[in-house]
Amino acid sequence: VITDVSAREILDNRLEPTLRVTVETGAGTGRADVPCGRSRGANEAVDLRDGGDRYRGLGVRTAVGNVEERIAPELIGTDVTDQRAIDDRLVSLDGTPDRSNLGGNALTGVSVAVLVAGAATLDAPLYRYLGGVDASALPVPLFDLIEGGELGASGLDFQEHQVVPTGADSFSEAVRRCSEVYHELGGLIESEFGPASLDVGDEGGYTPTGLTDPRDAFDLELRAVEECGYGGEFSLAVDVAASELYDPDTGTYDVMDERMTRGELVDLYGDLVDGYPLVSIEDPLHEEDFDGFAQLTDALDVQIVGDDLFVTSPDRVQTGIERGAANALLLKVNQVGTVSEALAAASRSRRNGYAVQVSERSGQTADTWLADLAVGLNAGQIKTGVSRSERTEQYNRLLEIEAELGSAATYGVDAGPCLTDR
Ligand code: PGA
Ligand code: ZN
């Protein structure tokens, strides 16, 4: 049973505060750091911040207080492995649809720390506690090699230009190839844009100033892939994060210094899919455009991922399924606030033929529960950035899991039709 729940204010990769929650049982301890998004969906659970001058308003002392004073007394004495009941309790204690009372960050920290403590109490690795003996799928990583939008200083409007090692035979081979391509691309970027362009964005991908057209980013990535000898072994993917480009007043999107209508943007996607090995497009349209998502899903034979569209909410996933919007879920626990709701969103997606991509946030720490979550769900896909420790620790944990699983480990088979059959 749970004997203590505590929280602290710590720092994330942006040197901004976030929460670290610890759950103790007599038999084990669970600790979880809470990630934080910058390009956030309007329908996400509220990230509770203190305001005021301290940490420029971003302090999380209120959320820490909520964990220790309002949540802890309710959870002490309960069975740590009863994740569902604990998450239901958290949701009802908060009592708001957007988790603005206790804070989505407070809820997420407690819910994930309970999960980690459950695994520790049973002395099982987190991925196995979550997925049982069936948990064996190492995810295909989507490497955000070139960043734009809110997360990078480049002139690119699309937020992430990812390479996908679909042709690798194993996870470790995939990571090795991505590392080689990343450094090859660095050389290309340095010779084209100068050494100052080797800075990285929030997810550890390059963000060279001077690039504006996604095609130029794709060309650079494909050149790096070719020069490493992996021609045809990589696919491309993007996260457009289109809500950030959308102007509700005019109903248009600001892309490459043009105001594009939905139709023009859809045509652009058609051209990109025709001209490039592009297999996955995340948030191609703004977060309330279920109809547009449905049209695009129908028109293009690629993966259409709902991030801000679904915000990992089982209800919004249900709406998507009913309307044929998207064919993949981006899963971020802190968008919804509890592990059980995220799992419900994932299983609802899976039952309806939607792929599941487990995702980091642009604000992260080196905590690796995300890697275990991906394997525990047999999600088949992960996006967790590129370089720097809050990213590479996820890969390191996945490499460790791959080694632990040995011949039981699979790669690619659970990634869904678009990332499996190029
Ligand atoms: P965020 O960005 O973590 O800042 O929300 C990542 C994404 O949009 O997928
Ligand atoms: Zn996104």
mmCIF file of all heavy atoms in Angstrom, residues 29 40 50 66 68 93 111 150 164 177 182 190 197 208 227 244 255 262 292 298 338 364 375 406:
data_model
loop_
_atom_site.group_PDB
_atom_site.id
_atom_site.type_symbol
_atom_site.label_atom_id
_atom_site.label_comp_id
_atom_site.label_asym_id
_atom_site.label_seq_id
_atom_site.Cartn_x
_atom_site.Cartn_y
_atom_site.Cartn_z
ATOM 1 N N THR A 29 9.713 2.146 -4.283
ATOM 2 C CA THR A 29 9.540 3.587 -4.484
ATOM 3 C C THR A 29 9.330 3.863 -5.961
ATOM 4 O O THR A 29 9.995 3.265 -6.801
ATOM 5 C CB THR A 29 10.807 4.332 -4.017
ATOM 6 O OG1 THR A 29 10.987 4.066 -2.630
ATOM 7 C CG2 THR A 29 10.668 5.842 -4.214
ATOM 8 N N ARG A 40 1.378 23.721 -27.267
ATOM 9 C CA ARG A 40 0.338 22.964 -26.579
ATOM 10 C C ARG A 40 -1.014 23.070 -27.263
ATOM 11 O O ARG A 40 -1.347 24.076 -27.854
ATOM 12 C CB ARG A 40 0.191 23.491 -25.135
ATOM 13 C CG ARG A 40 1.401 23.274 -24.265
ATOM 14 C CD ARG A 40 1.344 24.092 -22.990
ATOM 15 N NE ARG A 40 0.061 23.961 -22.313
ATOM 16 C CZ ARG A 40 -0.293 22.936 -21.559
ATOM 17 N NH1 ARG A 40 0.546 21.957 -21.348
ATOM 18 N NH2 ARG A 40 -1.472 22.885 -20.990
ATOM 19 N N ASP A 50 2.575 28.968 -10.967
ATOM 20 C CA ASP A 50 2.302 29.869 -9.850
ATOM 21 C C ASP A 50 2.012 31.303 -10.259
ATOM 22 O O ASP A 50 1.334 32.033 -9.538
ATOM 23 C CB ASP A 50 3.504 29.892 -8.893
ATOM 24 C CG ASP A 50 3.788 28.524 -8.295
ATOM 25 O OD1 ASP A 50 2.840 27.713 -8.223
ATOM 26 O OD2 ASP A 50 4.942 28.281 -7.907
ATOM 27 N N ASN A 66 -0.461 20.979 -3.942
ATOM 28 C CA ASN A 66 -1.641 20.172 -4.231
ATOM 29 C C ASN A 66 -1.354 18.675 -4.092
ATOM 30 O O ASN A 66 -2.176 17.920 -3.576
ATOM 31 C CB ASN A 66 -2.159 20.466 -5.645
ATOM 32 C CG ASN A 66 -2.793 21.841 -5.733
ATOM 33 O OD1 ASN A 66 -3.077 22.477 -4.706
ATOM 34 N ND2 ASN A 66 -3.004 22.320 -6.951
ATOM 35 N N GLU A 68 1.004 17.312 -2.157
ATOM 36 C CA GLU A 68 1.311 16.909 -0.782
ATOM 37 C C GLU A 68 0.148 17.126 0.181
ATOM 38 O O GLU A 68 -0.025 16.360 1.119
ATOM 39 C CB GLU A 68 2.561 17.657 -0.299
ATOM 40 C CG GLU A 68 3.758 17.263 -1.167
ATOM 41 C CD GLU A 68 5.105 17.646 -0.585
ATOM 42 O OE1 GLU A 68 5.136 18.621 0.204
ATOM 43 O OE2 GLU A 68 6.094 16.973 -0.911
ATOM 44 N N LEU A 93 -11.165 13.938 -7.527
ATOM 45 C CA LEU A 93 -10.648 14.946 -6.588
ATOM 46 C C LEU A 93 -10.473 16.293 -7.277
ATOM 47 O O LEU A 93 -10.791 17.341 -6.724
ATOM 48 C CB LEU A 93 -9.268 14.523 -6.088
ATOM 49 C CG LEU A 93 -9.135 13.807 -4.763
ATOM 50 C CD1 LEU A 93 -7.661 13.468 -4.551
ATOM 51 C CD2 LEU A 93 -9.649 14.678 -3.621
ATOM 52 N N SER A 111 0.104 10.200 -11.016
ATOM 53 C CA SER A 111 -0.354 9.003 -11.725
ATOM 54 C C SER A 111 0.828 8.170 -12.234
ATOM 55 O O SER A 111 0.849 6.944 -12.078
ATOM 56 C CB SER A 111 -1.262 9.427 -12.886
ATOM 57 O OG SER A 111 -1.776 8.302 -13.543
ATOM 58 N N GLU A 150 7.467 26.675 -33.466
ATOM 59 C CA GLU A 150 7.665 27.165 -32.095
ATOM 60 C C GLU A 150 8.925 26.622 -31.445
ATOM 61 O O GLU A 150 9.373 27.147 -30.428
ATOM 62 C CB GLU A 150 6.485 26.715 -31.222
ATOM 63 C CG GLU A 150 5.160 27.369 -31.532
ATOM 64 C CD GLU A 150 5.152 28.835 -31.150
ATOM 65 O OE1 GLU A 150 5.306 29.132 -29.965
ATOM 66 O OE2 GLU A 150 5.010 29.664 -32.060
ATOM 67 N N VAL A 164 12.727 8.602 -40.449
ATOM 68 C CA VAL A 164 12.184 7.400 -39.824
ATOM 69 C C VAL A 164 12.955 6.185 -40.348
ATOM 70 O O VAL A 164 12.857 5.872 -41.543
ATOM 71 C CB VAL A 164 10.682 7.232 -40.153
ATOM 72 C CG1 VAL A 164 10.052 6.202 -39.233
ATOM 73 C CG2 VAL A 164 9.939 8.567 -40.059
ATOM 74 N N ARG A 177 21.915 4.054 -37.054
ATOM 75 C CA ARG A 177 21.762 4.726 -38.346
ATOM 76 C C ARG A 177 21.347 6.184 -38.160
ATOM 77 O O ARG A 177 21.833 7.072 -38.859
ATOM 78 C CB ARG A 177 20.713 3.997 -39.193
ATOM 79 C CG ARG A 177 21.183 2.648 -39.682
ATOM 80 C CD ARG A 177 20.102 1.978 -40.515
ATOM 81 N NE ARG A 177 20.599 0.756 -41.135
ATOM 82 C CZ ARG A 177 19.947 0.081 -42.062
ATOM 83 N NH1 ARG A 177 18.756 0.502 -42.473
ATOM 84 N NH2 ARG A 177 20.451 -1.009 -42.590
ATOM 85 N N TYR A 182 22.411 11.897 -38.386
ATOM 86 C CA TYR A 182 22.400 13.178 -37.665
ATOM 87 C C TYR A 182 23.732 13.901 -37.838
ATOM 88 O O TYR A 182 23.786 15.091 -38.149
ATOM 89 C CB TYR A 182 22.120 12.906 -36.178
ATOM 90 C CG TYR A 182 22.318 14.081 -35.247
ATOM 91 C CD1 TYR A 182 21.422 15.143 -35.236
ATOM 92 C CD2 TYR A 182 23.388 14.115 -34.360
ATOM 93 C CE1 TYR A 182 21.596 16.219 -34.371
ATOM 94 C CE2 TYR A 182 23.568 15.181 -33.492
ATOM 95 C CZ TYR A 182 22.672 16.232 -33.501
ATOM 96 O OH TYR A 182 22.850 17.275 -32.652
ATOM 97 N N GLU A 190 26.510 22.612 -41.738
ATOM 98 C CA GLU A 190 27.629 23.489 -41.437
ATOM 99 C C GLU A 190 28.233 24.052 -42.721
ATOM 100 O O GLU A 190 28.522 25.251 -42.817
ATOM 101 C CB GLU A 190 28.707 22.744 -40.636
ATOM 102 C CG GLU A 190 29.821 23.676 -40.192
ATOM 103 C CD GLU A 190 30.839 22.989 -39.290
ATOM 104 O OE1 GLU A 190 30.744 21.760 -39.085
ATOM 105 O OE2 GLU A 190 31.716 23.698 -38.792
ATOM 106 N N SER A 197 25.131 27.553 -37.374
ATOM 107 C CA SER A 197 23.834 26.912 -37.623
ATOM 108 C C SER A 197 23.750 25.529 -36.998
ATOM 109 O O SER A 197 22.753 24.842 -37.155
ATOM 110 C CB SER A 197 23.605 26.803 -39.121
ATOM 111 O OG SER A 197 24.643 26.040 -39.680
ATOM 112 N N PRO A 208 18.628 25.310 -38.572
ATOM 113 C CA PRO A 208 19.416 26.289 -39.324
ATOM 114 C C PRO A 208 18.581 27.458 -39.818
ATOM 115 O O PRO A 208 17.542 27.252 -40.456
ATOM 116 C CB PRO A 208 19.959 25.477 -40.509
ATOM 117 C CG PRO A 208 19.016 24.334 -40.664
ATOM 118 C CD PRO A 208 18.498 24.038 -39.287
ATOM 119 N N GLU A 227 24.259 9.781 -48.254
ATOM 120 C CA GLU A 227 25.704 9.786 -48.047
ATOM 121 C C GLU A 227 26.144 8.788 -46.985
ATOM 122 O O GLU A 227 27.282 8.348 -46.974
ATOM 123 C CB GLU A 227 26.203 11.215 -47.763
ATOM 124 C CG GLU A 227 26.403 11.922 -49.097
ATOM 125 C CD GLU A 227 26.649 13.412 -49.008
ATOM 126 O OE1 GLU A 227 27.295 13.840 -48.043
ATOM 127 O OE2 GLU A 227 26.203 14.127 -49.930
ATOM 128 N N GLU A 244 -0.605 26.174 -34.669
ATOM 129 C CA GLU A 244 0.282 27.327 -34.459
ATOM 130 C C GLU A 244 0.326 28.236 -35.695
ATOM 131 O O GLU A 244 0.769 29.378 -35.605
ATOM 132 C CB GLU A 244 1.708 26.860 -34.135
ATOM 133 C CG GLU A 244 1.826 25.881 -32.977
ATOM 134 C CD GLU A 244 1.581 26.515 -31.617
ATOM 135 O OE1 GLU A 244 1.625 27.753 -31.514
ATOM 136 O OE2 GLU A 244 1.308 25.763 -30.656
ATOM 137 N N VAL A 255 1.872 29.938 -44.084
ATOM 138 C CA VAL A 255 2.911 28.975 -44.457
ATOM 139 C C VAL A 255 3.784 29.583 -45.547
ATOM 140 O O VAL A 255 3.268 30.010 -46.590
ATOM 141 C CB VAL A 255 2.292 27.650 -44.960
ATOM 142 C CG1 VAL A 255 3.398 26.664 -45.353
ATOM 143 C CG2 VAL A 255 1.399 27.035 -43.897
ATOM 144 N N ARG A 262 -7.328 26.046 -46.412
ATOM 145 C CA ARG A 262 -7.199 24.613 -46.121
ATOM 146 C C ARG A 262 -6.929 23.835 -47.401
ATOM 147 O O ARG A 262 -6.076 22.961 -47.438
ATOM 148 C CB ARG A 262 -8.484 24.111 -45.451
ATOM 149 C CG ARG A 262 -8.478 22.613 -45.254
ATOM 150 C CD ARG A 262 -9.593 22.177 -44.338
ATOM 151 N NE ARG A 262 -10.808 21.875 -45.065
ATOM 152 C CZ ARG A 262 -11.956 21.511 -44.487
ATOM 153 N NH1 ARG A 262 -12.049 21.443 -43.181
ATOM 154 N NH2 ARG A 262 -13.007 21.248 -45.207
ATOM 155 N N GLY A 292 -11.618 18.352 -41.857
ATOM 156 C CA GLY A 292 -10.426 18.455 -42.697
ATOM 157 C C GLY A 292 -9.502 17.258 -42.500
ATOM 158 O O GLY A 292 -8.972 16.698 -43.467
ATOM 159 N N ASP A 298 -8.578 10.403 -45.881
ATOM 160 C CA ASP A 298 -9.177 9.700 -47.014
ATOM 161 C C ASP A 298 -8.345 9.889 -48.283
ATOM 162 O O ASP A 298 -8.139 8.968 -49.060
ATOM 163 C CB ASP A 298 -10.572 10.301 -47.221
ATOM 164 C CG ASP A 298 -11.503 9.303 -47.840
ATOM 165 O OD1 ASP A 298 -11.364 8.109 -47.503
ATOM 166 O OD2 ASP A 298 -12.336 9.721 -48.667
ATOM 167 N N THR A 338 -3.834 11.510 -16.597
ATOM 168 C CA THR A 338 -3.630 10.244 -15.881
ATOM 169 C C THR A 338 -3.220 9.139 -16.844
ATOM 170 O O THR A 338 -3.587 9.159 -18.023
ATOM 171 C CB THR A 338 -4.909 9.763 -15.129
ATOM 172 O OG1 THR A 338 -5.926 9.456 -16.084
ATOM 173 C CG2 THR A 338 -5.407 10.792 -14.137
ATOM 174 N N GLN A 364 11.394 18.312 -21.132
ATOM 175 C CA GLN A 364 11.598 16.949 -20.624
ATOM 176 C C GLN A 364 12.686 16.975 -19.577
ATOM 177 O O GLN A 364 13.466 17.918 -19.517
ATOM 178 C CB GLN A 364 12.113 16.050 -21.755
ATOM 179 C CG GLN A 364 11.103 15.530 -22.742
ATOM 180 C CD GLN A 364 10.321 14.355 -22.221
ATOM 181 O OE1 GLN A 364 9.117 14.287 -22.474
ATOM 182 N NE2 GLN A 364 10.916 13.448 -21.486
ATOM 183 N N VAL A 375 7.213 0.554 -24.857
ATOM 184 C CA VAL A 375 7.325 -0.908 -24.986
ATOM 185 C C VAL A 375 6.145 -1.592 -24.282
ATOM 186 O O VAL A 375 5.566 -2.549 -24.807
ATOM 187 C CB VAL A 375 8.665 -1.413 -24.416
ATOM 188 C CG1 VAL A 375 8.751 -2.931 -24.521
ATOM 189 C CG2 VAL A 375 9.835 -0.766 -25.160
ATOM 190 N N GLY A 406 16.217 -9.664 -25.461
ATOM 191 C CA GLY A 406 16.971 -10.597 -26.302
ATOM 192 C C GLY A 406 16.199 -10.965 -27.558
ATOM 193 O O GLY A 406 15.664 -10.092 -28.241
#
